[in-house]
Amino acid sequence: MSGPDNFLAPKSIESLARVVAEFADEIYLSLTTIGTALRDLWNDLTDERRPAVRSADLASLREMIVAELGVRGELFDGTGVIMADGVLADRPLFLEWWLSDAVRGPQRHMLELNPQSEYFYDYTLLDWYVIPRDRRRRWVEGPRIDFACSDQYVCTFTIPVESVPGEFLGVAGADVPVAAMEKALLPAFRASNPRATLVNSEGRVILGVDPEFPPGSRIGRGDRSDGVPVDALPWSLLPQRGSARRS
């Protein structure tokens, strides 16, 4: 991935959009590595004609997930796989998810997946899971406060994972702190001419150099009419202008 000092100054909003798309592609490259490992493991397990695949059978993914977490450094707050509802024989819901910890090293993250608990975390209702499942396409949700994991302001990137016959197995995902995205992308945004603000499909600001619109604020629908889409992402770039209004 390009470092903060390696960006050439984008000469247009469209070229800045390509910088953002290339940044996202690097994230999805890691998710493809993780998702491919899950697919291959699943195919091996089912080829062995076991009665059914169980959650313990996925333990061999851990070393690879932790390695990918290390490769991405501060860019990934957490990463792993989230299994499809009912695909495992012993757990209706299950995830193999690891968090960065500068002091203790990578830590496996456990969530409450018991529907009878008041703290039940039903990920099957969340867009970062639902959209890859239903549309079989990659997705990114956020920015949002990640109350389930790190309490940081993050974007969650996910891709669908399917077996070779096409059965939906779940998603591979990563939580990317907005602070890490700013560190990687703000040099390009500052150098861009014209300057721009990156927003999601709801008009919520992800990052930019306009002090009027800090990350997390919203830009009204009417002020997004001239946005430039970022390839294959639900994001767009809005040229900086003095008439934009916060809703």
Side-chain angles (χ1 to χ4, degrees), residues 142-143 153 178 197-200 203-208 210 213-219:
Y153 209 45
V178 170
T197 300
L198 180 64
V199 301
N200 67 14
R204 191 172 295 281
V205 173
I206 301 168
L207 61 90
D210 187 342
F213 297 107
S217 61
R218 279 184 181 273
I219 291 178

Side-chain angles (χ1 to χ4, degrees), residues 41-42 44-54 56-58:
L41 175 61
W42 190 272
D44 289 345
L45 292 170
T46 51
D47 281 349
E48 293 173 2
R49 300 187 184 282
R50 297 184 181 188
V53 179
R54 304 175 69 85
D57 295 326
L58 306 183

Side-chain angles (χ1 to χ4, degrees), residues 71-194:
V71 165
R72 294 305 176 189
E74 64 182 14
L75 189 62
F76 280 12
D77 177 69
T79 190
V81 297
I82 299 94
M83 301 305 294
D85 182 8
V87 75
L88 294 172
D90 61 332
R91 302 281 189 89
L93 301 178
F94 182 77
L95 69 162
E96 188 70 49
W97 193 264
W98 288 74
L99 300 178
S100 292
D101 189 313
V103 176
R104 298 180 297 168
Q107 300 291 310
R108 188 175 179 213
H109 189 58
M110 307 292 287
L111 291 169
E112 180 54 80
L113 300 178
N114 178 1
Q116 304 307 314
S117 170
E118 63 177 310
Y119 303 108
F120 175 43
Y121 184 75
D122 189 359
Y123 59 73
T124 66
L125 302 178
L126 303 178
D127 282 351
W128 56 256
Y129 174 88
V130 170
I131 291 174
R133 179 195 65 190
D134 293 351
R135 304 181 191 176
R136 301 299 171 98
R137 57 161 295 183
R138 68 187 195 179
W139 189 250
V140 55
E141 181 184 355
R144 60 182 175 79
I145 301 293
D146 183 16
F147 292 112
C149 292
S150 63
D151 292 334
Q152 292 195 74
Y153 209 45
V154 304
C155 287
T156 300
F157 293 72
T158 50
I159 63 168
V161 182
E162 301 176 33
S163 66
V164 170
E167 178 186 13
F168 178 67
L169 301 179
V171 301
D175 287 330
V176 179
V178 170
M181 295 173 61
E182 288 178 329
K183 186 174 181 180
L185 290 172
L186 276 183
F189 275 72
R190 292 193 179 105
S192 174
N193 184 20

Side-chain angles (χ1 to χ4, degrees), residues 221-234:
R221 183 180 296 277
D223 296 318
R224 291 185 269 149
S225 58
D226 57 351
V228 173
V230 178
D231 184 41
L233 292 171

